[in-house]
Amino acid sequence: MDPKDFFAELKRRKVYSVAIGYIVAGWALAQGIAQVFPVFDIPNWMVRLVVLLIVLGFPVALVLSWFFDLTRYGIVRTPDMKDKIDIVPTVGSNERSIAVLPFTDLSPGEERDYFGEGIAEEIQTALAKIEGLRVAARRSSFWFKDKKADLNEIADKLNVEHVLEGSVRREGNRVRISAELTNCCNGFTLWSETFEREMQGIFALQDEITRAIVDALKLKLDISAPLASRLVRSTDAYDVYLHGLFYSDKASEEDLRKSLEYFEGALEKDSQFSRAWTGIAKAWLWLADAYVPPLEAYPKVRDAAVRALHLNDDEAEAHVYLAETKRILDWDLDGAEAEFNRAVEIEPNSTPSNYFIAALYAARGDRDKALAFLQRTAKIDPASLWVNNSACELYRYFGLYDEAIAAGERALQLDPAFVYGEPLLAALYREIGRFDEAIALYQKAERLNGRPAFGLAITYARMNRPDEAREVLAKAIASRGSYTPGDAIAHVHVVLHAHDDAIRELERACEERSSSLHFVGIAPEFAPLRSDRRFTSILKKIGLEPEKVFTATTAS
């Protein structure tokens, strides 16, 4: 290690603070002993022995301070530098980067937003395919909609140099689009233009805007490569599809089912519209587990993804959703990995492509690969609630508490209502002994979204409050309606030392194909079951290698 880095590491691990504190406390203790012991006629050799022990304890304290951090919440292992990851890496000097904000919809009438967001996303999708250009993901850039933030703040939070913003106005068959590209480093407008076209020309217009941006950024565009908009044949189908896309990014069952209706309506107008099938796969994926039993939902995910890929094998998201069905329905992890890799190959800057493969590698115990793809996802989609909340959990599994806290706190800032599930930062607080903060966060989430958290039951169980744990567990199960993942219930049973009940629920999760079952191998809550043959048998049945998985979570 470089000397400069070594001394920086000493400071990061608080070795200096421990050394100074130890010397001061040791000196005071030695002075006190020298004054008090003679009063009680304690021999001098005892005084010298205590002083000697204080001296010998000094290097021991320094060594312990290197590996552990003593806080008011308990002793926490200090993450190694090799494990430390920049949550939002800096932009490379040769890299161009851009965020596409949702276009303001100025159209008359009540139903608005879907068209402006859809146009912006189409341009964003096309730009993401340009070599040498990093594009902030939709969830991150669209998070700033209706928020009072200037372009410099947006660029800083999304870690991009340029921002594209604009407006759309649609009246009848006429569409008017204004767009402006700003270099946020110097505040100058690089390009701006206003277009007015018939609706039939919307696809060519999107391509024209994309080419103008690429030209302004002095990047190379492969003319022969088809842009996404060219794959759409019917403007009527496209308009209905944009409605579906708008609702598919929301979290409620009502909105997801509404998106299905629009995607199906788009296919009625154009049966060859591959992206509508991808949208159907996406909607069923998010309905699964949360609102619909897996064995009902995932076959529909698979059917829609296969249909999309039959029409267009370059549908990256369809490969992602097909991969998830291979993982969940077939326990075919190698097949899932192949589909995920195909998705990354097609769209290397896609959030689903990078996040889902990171989760797969984490579940399989491929620690380094999982962390690499998590890093890429954070770079692409730094302001995504879903990404940050889930990344908090994966980092926690690997014992990377600094990274987990950063991701979890960012998720908390993005949306305190936790529309995508439980606040996983609370699980981290529980893990490091910050029980009061964990309980407060779970209770706040319940007040906002009305759903009792399984994590709260686990927290009470960890605090040796079993009656409260069982009460919360019963409420959480009741709130889920007719289906609750068995592994969610098993989490609580393990901490309550009801191991037979936990195994029974895990076996049910196997039968019902819970999508989160693959993560019980790396979840620290299940560590007490790792010596149980029934538990390792379940892991093997679903395609995992128990020893590899267990080792990944204890790697130093």
Side-chain angles (χ1 to χ4, degrees):
M1 181 183 293
D2 181 86
K4 183 178 180 180
D5 293 338
F6 175 72
F7 289 113
E9 184 71 348
L10 289 176
K11 182 177 181 181
R12 185 180 75 87
R13 293 174 180 266
K14 301 179 181 177
V15 176
Y16 290 137
S17 300
V18 170
I20 294 172
Y22 191 97
I23 291 171
V24 172
W27 177 259
L29 179 60
Q31 290 295 314
I33 289 172
Q35 295 295 323
V36 173
F37 274 27
V39 175
F40 295 97
D41 295 324
I42 296 176
N44 285 335
W45 68 267
M46 285 290 292
V47 176
R48 288 192 290 270
L49 177 61
V50 172
V51 173
L52 180 62
L53 290 175
I54 293 173
V55 173
L56 293 176
F58 182 67
V60 176
L62 296 185
V63 171
L64 290 175
S65 70
W66 176 272
F67 291 105
F68 300 98
D69 186 15
L70 180 62
T71 73
R72 64 189 180 97
Y73 306 106
I75 298 175
V76 178
R77 183 176 177 83
T78 306
D80 293 337
M81 281 300 292
K82 70 180 183 64
D83 290 332
K84 192 169 179 62
I85 295 174
D86 290 332
I87 298 298
V88 184
T90 56
V91 178
S93 58
N94 296 324
E95 183 185 48
R96 292 288 182 268
S97 54
I98 187 172
V100 181
L101 303 184
F103 282 21
T104 303
D105 199 328
L106 304 176
S107 307
E110 294 182 1
E111 191 174 31
R112 295 161 58 174
D113 291 338
Y114 85 92
F115 192 70
E117 288 193 13
I119 294 298
E121 179 161 357
E122 290 294 290
I123 295 171
Q124 179 186 62
T125 300
L127 289 171
K129 297 180 182 297
I130 307 301
E131 184 178 354
L133 180 63
R134 180 172 58 82
V135 183
R138 179 189 190 278
R139 289 182 186 272
S140 286
S141 54
F142 280 30
W143 181 80
F144 290 94
K145 182 180 179 180
D146 299 328
K147 292 183 172 60
K148 296 180 179 179
D150 60 33
L151 293 185
N152 285 334
E153 180 184 353
I154 294 171
D156 181 62
K157 289 186 176 180
L158 296 182
N159 196 33
V160 295
E161 295 175 299
H162 306 90
V163 171
L164 179 71
E165 57 182 338
S167 64
V168 299
R169 181 178 179 85
R170 183 179 176 187
E171 289 190 79
N173 199 39
R174 298 290 293 178
V175 179
R176 189 172 189 267
I177 299 179
S178 296
E180 181 175 318
L181 177 67
T182 302
N183 183 333
C184 295
C185 296
N186 56 28
F188 293 137
T189 298
L190 294 181
W191 168 84
S192 65
E193 191 68 70
T194 297
F195 307 87
E196 190 163 349
R197 299 282 194 280
E198 296 291 326
M199 185 62 185
Q200 288 80 356
I202 190 64
F203 309 130
L205 175 54
Q206 290 171 7
D207 288 353
E208 187 176 342
I209 294 173
T210 301
R211 293 175 185 279
I213 295 169
V214 170
D215 183 61
L217 296 178
K218 296 180 173 56
L219 295 170
K220 180 181 179 181
L221 177 63
D222 184 355
I223 302 298
S224 64
L227 299 178
S229 60
R230 298 183 195 167
L231 303 176
V232 184
R233 303 186 308 171
S234 164
T235 54
D236 289 340
Y238 178 67
D239 184 65
V240 177
Y241 165 78
L242 292 183
H243 276 87
L245 194 64
F246 178 77
Y247 287 107
S248 71
D249 278 319
K250 300 185 180 299
S252 72
E253 181 178 10
E254 179 184 2
D255 285 329
L256 290 170
R257 290 193 179 276
K258 189 179 293 186
S259 75
L260 283 173
E261 294 175 6
Y262 280 116
F263 290 137
E264 290 163 358
L267 287 169
E268 290 175 4
K269 296 180 179 296
D270 182 357
S271 61
Q272 303 299 302
F273 193 177
S274 62
R275 278 188 289 162
W277 281 115
T278 301
I280 290 174
K282 173 186 177 182
W284 278 114
L285 182 86
W286 292 113
L287 282 167
D289 295 286
Y291 305 110
V292 179
L295 286 176
E296 178 185 339
Y298 285 108
K300 296 177 180 179
V301 176
R302 173 149 58 192
D303 177 68
V306 168
R307 288 174 181 266
L309 294 172
H310 177 72
L311 294 169
N312 177 19
D313 190 60
D314 287 335
E315 282 282 331
E317 273 197 60
H319 282 287
V320 170
Y321 304 142
L322 180 59
E324 279 291 272
T325 65
K326 289 186 176 184
R327 177 180 73 84
I328 297 161
L329 294 177
D330 306 329
W331 296 323
D332 178 9
L333 303 191
D334 289 337
E337 182 182 5
E339 291 293 338
F340 284 135
N341 279 321
R342 174 66 177 139
V344 172
E345 178 186 358
I346 297 169
E347 291 190 9
N349 291 325
S350 160
T351 297
S353 300
N354 285 280
Y355 172 74
F356 278 100
I357 196 172
L360 174 71
Y361 283 135
R364 297 187 79 171
D366 290 321
R367 177 188 176 96
D368 292 341
K369 291 181 180 178
L371 294 177
F373 278 101
L374 272 182
Q375 181 184 22
R376 288 179 60 172
T377 308
K379 184 177 180 181
I380 295 164
D381 211 350
S384 166
L385 165 65
W386 163 58
V387 167
N388 283 289
N389 200 39
S390 300
C392 174
E393 187 81 331
L394 294 183
Y395 284 130
R396 178 176 77 90
Y397 289 159
F398 289 131
L400 301 177
Y401 294 154
D402 286 350
E403 288 79 2
I405 287 177
E409 289 182 345
R410 186 175 293 112
L412 186 64
Q413 294 167 2
L414 290 167
D415 189 345
F418 313 105
V419 295
Y420 289 100
E422 297 185 7
L424 297 178
L425 178 62
L428 176 64
Y429 286 158
R430 177 183 68 238
E431 188 76 11
I432 60 179
R434 296 162 63 168
F435 295 118
D436 290 344
E437 291 174 81
I439 291 171
L441 196 49
Y442 282 129
Q443 291 177 339
K444 177 183 177 183
E446 183 178 351
R447 288 195 300 271
L448 292 169
N449 62 31
R451 296 188 299 269
F454 290 96
L456 179 57
I458 297 171
T459 304
Y460 283 138
R462 283 281 299 274
M463 299 174 70
N464 198 27
R465 294 158 66 174
D467 292 340
E468 291 168 277
R470 294 187 185 96
E471 181 182 353
V472 173
L473 174 61
K475 290 180 179 179
I477 294 173
S479 72
R480 296 293 294 260
S482 60
Y483 171 75
T484 302
D487 49 301
I489 300 173
H491 269 82
V492 186
H493 285 320
V494 172
V495 186
L496 287 172
H497 308 293
H499 291 182
D500 290 342
D501 292 336
I503 293 294
R504 185 187 67 250
E505 289 294 341
L506 290 175
E507 289 172 345
R508 179 173 71 85
C510 274
E511 295 299 320
E512 296 178 346
R513 295 302 196 274
S514 168
S515 67
S516 52
L517 181 60
H518 278 112
F519 299 95
V520 300
I522 59 174
E525 290 82 4
F526 285 93
L529 292 184
R530 291 180 179 179
S531 59
D532 191 318
R533 290 184 179 180
R534 296 172 298 173
F535 182 64
T536 55
S537 176
I538 290 171
L539 296 186
K540 291 176 182 177
K541 184 177 180 180
I542 63 178
L544 297 174
E545 301 174 40
E547 291 304 319
K548 179 180 179 181
V549 171
F550 300 158
T551 301
T553 59
T554 57
S556 60

